[in-house]
Amino acid sequence: MNRFALASAVGLLMLGGGCGGSSTSVTSPPPPPPPTASPDVRADYLVSQMTQDEKVQLVHGGVTTSNPVTPHGAAGWVPGIPRLNIPDLYLADGSVGVGNGVGQATALPSSIASAASWDVNEAYKYGKVIGSELSAYGINVNLGGNINVIGREPRDGRTFETKGEDPVLAGKITAAHLKAIQDQYVIAGIKHFSLNDQETGRGQANVLIDDRSGRESDLLAFEIGVQDSGVQSVMCSYNLLNGTYACENPYLLTTVLKGDWAFPGFVMSDWWATHSTAAAANAGLDQEQPNDTYFGNLAQAVQSGQVPQSRLDDMVHRILRAMFAAGVFDHPASLHAIDVSGDDAIAQEAEEQGAVLLQNNGLLPLNGSTLSSIAIIGSHADTGVLSGGGSAQVTPNGGPALTEGNPCPPCWATVIWDPSSPMTAIQAKAPGANVQSNDGTNASTAATLAASSNVAIVFVSQWASEGMDLPSLNFTDVIHSTPIDQDALVAAVAAANPRTIVVMENGGAQVMPWLNQVAAVLEAWYPGERGGQAIANILFGSVNPSGKLPITFPASVNDLPRPTIAAPPDSTSIFNVDYTIDGFNVGYKWFDTKNITPLFPFGFGLSYTTFSISNAQLITNLSSSNPNFQVSFSLTNTGSVAGAEVAQVYLGLPAATGEPPKRLVGWQKVLLQPGQTQNVTIEVDENDSSRPLSYWDVKSLEWQVADGEYSVYLGNSSRNVNLVGTITIGQ
Ligand code: NOJ
């Protein structure tokens, strides 16, 4: 029986009785609502029982100068209130696996690889690994769910944590991660709200963007992520938006998030991103992290009338409500070992589904039995695979294969190579071959080895991290004091042996000056702690690649909306980052609008088989209340091996709306045996959280479907589509 149940059983206590004196009756607290009551009702009850000091305790982190260490290696901690059975909150990072500091955990492939699977079921498994492992470590709040960047700035050092440039794909993949995490009774988080799309000067960057552009791009990704997952926490970002810090921005936190989207959970600040007490609280911030610099003063701010008591109560209600909704009260985390082998299998599958084959002149897949010699060159491929740095860094199971210092910037994140040797996995696929490695530091010795080998596999890598942006989109060595020129390395190896395959370990888009010289290119992203095995399985055809790019690979940084990243003049001044240049035309929408040919388009990825689409039909069912349509077609595997294709539906809005030529509105990943045909129907429903037919109308402040002609396209990348038909609305 818990404390509340005991109080309820005792009921009315008789005090002051005894030796014939007069008795006084005191009403004990009302009974708590049963566990079947709604999270709101349960939260309201607790709020009604709390003192003002207890309320203030819940709205800020417990990390202070005198108490700098958080239990469980967490990044943040909110002490609970034992008197009311309110448990402690332990907050830990985890965009690509349980964050550094907590303990060894499964290093998943980067989140962008999960997005490249274009498979929400696969993404759910990915999130389940994160949630179950956090819970095994006693963590009950996740700080993952990074949905920034959205392709505005492909050099952003955190691109690997994110889900690409399309708000619908990113929103749906993120929602699957978050739902899976909360299904493990861990409060999930989505971050960094919002428009924190570059790391350079992130705390001083004043993002300029108009309401419509924001709502149709970065905010739409958050909206889908929030609505589809039921996520209970949102982390506001370091940057300013149109002159106001995100964590005290009433437009972001109250008008959009809590108003238009009816978000019922709580907003926490990014670490030290709170800048005020009353302004932040009144704007909609519910919890300061990781300490109490501003929200420690909330009782005084309420007493002086600067913050209404109702706002403080709402802040506390939202935090408690989130705890009830996610199951933190009813299903407390219990410490236990993580399922390393089960989670490793998911890590490998996520990589096998998310790696993207960008080029293949027929050399792949390799046949291990016909190769007598293989050269493995560069990127410590004899030892491990690269991971991304910063707060999303995972300490892999078994510990890092190799660490390589702390590049500056960001100066604080360690370069970690996960313990999964591609060379060992490749040798296992070609047991009869002489597999030799070269570290790639000297292009001429690498070329000599390549010349004497049947095939050369060059691993190129680009380390990136929170706290930095990349100097370019070339493979730039930011790790070593004497940088390795990886572009020159690939060119030298390819000149020595045309049977050269490039495997890329990186977090986002890259340019490839050597592309025409090599036989094949595999985008492996940061492939996680089973990356070596997954890469070998793809190179040797045990797995047929099916990933598709969730971001555009430009041919040059000069093709980006901002060829140079905006930078602050000093370490304190606010500076503008102008997103009015691209507005809602992010990623492929920018390239389509400007008619620029990318190196590789959004949605692109090769397979070892071929597919054909036939009998494509547009089925409309339009009414003003539900303007939805379907695209049905037959998809055939016309090759000789099993494989999966991602069929993609794009929509062009009426020209008068000023929208880009097309937007992604639906897709389906279909696995087919050789020769197999499957009839597929993709539904596009305006009632979906992505509002596929709408634009944001700044007059009515609502989503609107414009009158006019809509073009429906079907294909397998944003640049390989056919018109299926047109829809006319309202004319
Ligand atoms: C700052 C990062 O921006 C955020 O993503 C992270 O969750 C916190 N630090 C806590 O580590």
Side-chain angles (χ1 to χ4, degrees), residues 18-56:
C19 307
S22 64
S23 68
T24 313
S25 67
V26 174
T27 308
S28 63
T36 49
S38 74
D40 285 307
V41 167
R42 297 175 79 184
D44 276 342
Y45 171 79
L46 285 180
V47 173
S48 75
Q49 301 302 307
M50 291 169 79
T51 66
Q52 193 78 328
D53 284 349
E54 287 169 340
K55 290 175 183 174
V56 172

Side-chain angles (χ1 to χ4, degrees), residues 75 93 143 158 191-192 202 235 238 270-271 391 466:
D93 282 294
L143 312 171
R158 303 188 79 168
K191 69 187 186 185
H192 310 80
R202 65 181 178 178
M235 183 189 288
Y238 288 115
D270 201 344
W271 267 228
S391 61
E466 176 186 347

Side-chain angles (χ1 to χ4, degrees), residues 199-522:
E199 287 296 281
T200 304
R202 65 181 178 178
Q204 303 154 252
N206 178 34
V207 169
L208 305 176
I209 195 165
D210 62 280
D211 184 33
R212 175 173 173 184
S213 295
R215 300 254 192 181
E216 293 187 14
S217 58
D218 293 60
L219 297 184
L220 179 57
F222 274 95
E223 183 173 6
I224 297 167
V226 166
Q227 304 290 15
D228 285 16
S229 69
V231 66
Q232 291 297 330
S233 80
V234 171
M235 183 189 288
C236 53
S237 53
Y238 288 115
N239 55 288
L240 303 87
L241 173 62
N242 295 327
T244 306
Y245 282 108
C247 288
E248 57 186 49
N249 194 310
Y251 164 80
L252 277 179
L253 307 185
T254 297
T255 306
V256 175
L257 178 67
K258 294 179 178 176
D260 294 338
W261 304 349
F263 171 66
F266 69 103
V267 179
M268 73 170 78
S269 71
D270 201 344
W271 267 228
W272 304 282
T274 308
H275 293 272
S276 59
T277 304
N282 291 334
L285 180 65
D286 301 306
Q287 191 177 68
E288 176 182 8
Q289 287 294 352
N291 57 15
D292 62 351
T293 308
Y294 294 99
F295 279 14
N297 306 327
L298 264 169
Q300 294 91 308
V302 170
Q303 194 164 23
S304 66
Q306 290 175 282
V307 175
Q309 179 68 44
S310 57
R311 178 76 259 277
L312 176 59
D313 289 351
D314 177 54
M315 294 157 75
V316 178
H317 170 95
R318 285 171 173 276
I319 294 163
L320 292 168
R321 185 210 180 278
M323 294 168 70
F324 281 118
V328 167
F329 279 90
D330 302 333
H331 304 272
S334 62
L335 298 179
H336 59 273
I338 65 173
D339 174 10
V340 175
S341 64
D343 291 352
D344 265 351
I346 295 172
Q348 182 172 331
E349 186 178 305
E351 172 62 12
E352 289 170 351
Q353 295 293 318
V356 184
L357 183 62
L358 293 175
Q359 177 160 293
N360 184 16
N361 70 1
L363 180 58
L364 294 179
L366 298 171
N367 180 343
S369 63
T370 61
L371 296 174
S372 59
S373 55
I374 303 174
I376 306 282
I377 297 166
S379 296
H380 303 294
D382 55 339
T383 305
V385 290
L386 190 58
S387 64
S391 61
Q393 179 75 60
V394 178
T395 303
N397 287 312
L402 180 72
T403 57
E404 271 194 307
N406 306 71
C408 222
C411 319
W412 53 272
T414 306
V415 177
I416 288 183
W417 297 80
D418 288 335
S420 176
S421 155
M423 182 166 169
T424 304
I426 287 167
Q427 178 75 77
K429 294 282 179 190
N434 180 18
V435 181
Q436 289 179 274
S437 76
N438 176 288
D439 68 8
T441 53
N442 180 320
S444 107
T445 62
T448 304
L449 176 64
S452 65
S453 304
N454 289 164
V455 64
I457 309 176
V458 188
F459 289 78
V460 289
S461 50
Q462 177 66 65
W463 187 75
S465 169
E466 176 186 347
M468 64 176 275
D469 291 322
L470 293 170
S472 79
L473 289 180
N474 287 77
F475 281 93
T476 320
D477 183 353
V478 296
I479 300 175
H480 304 107
S481 48
T482 308
I484 302 170
D485 184 342
Q486 298 180 89
D487 286 338
L489 174 68
V490 175
V493 170
N497 187 341
R499 287 163 58 86
T500 290
I501 300 157
V502 177
V503 177
M504 310 201 303
E505 295 172 12
N506 58 297
Q510 299 282 164
V511 296
M512 305 168 209
W514 32 259
L515 184 63
N516 294 332
Q517 296 158 255
V518 303
V521 179
L522 179 68

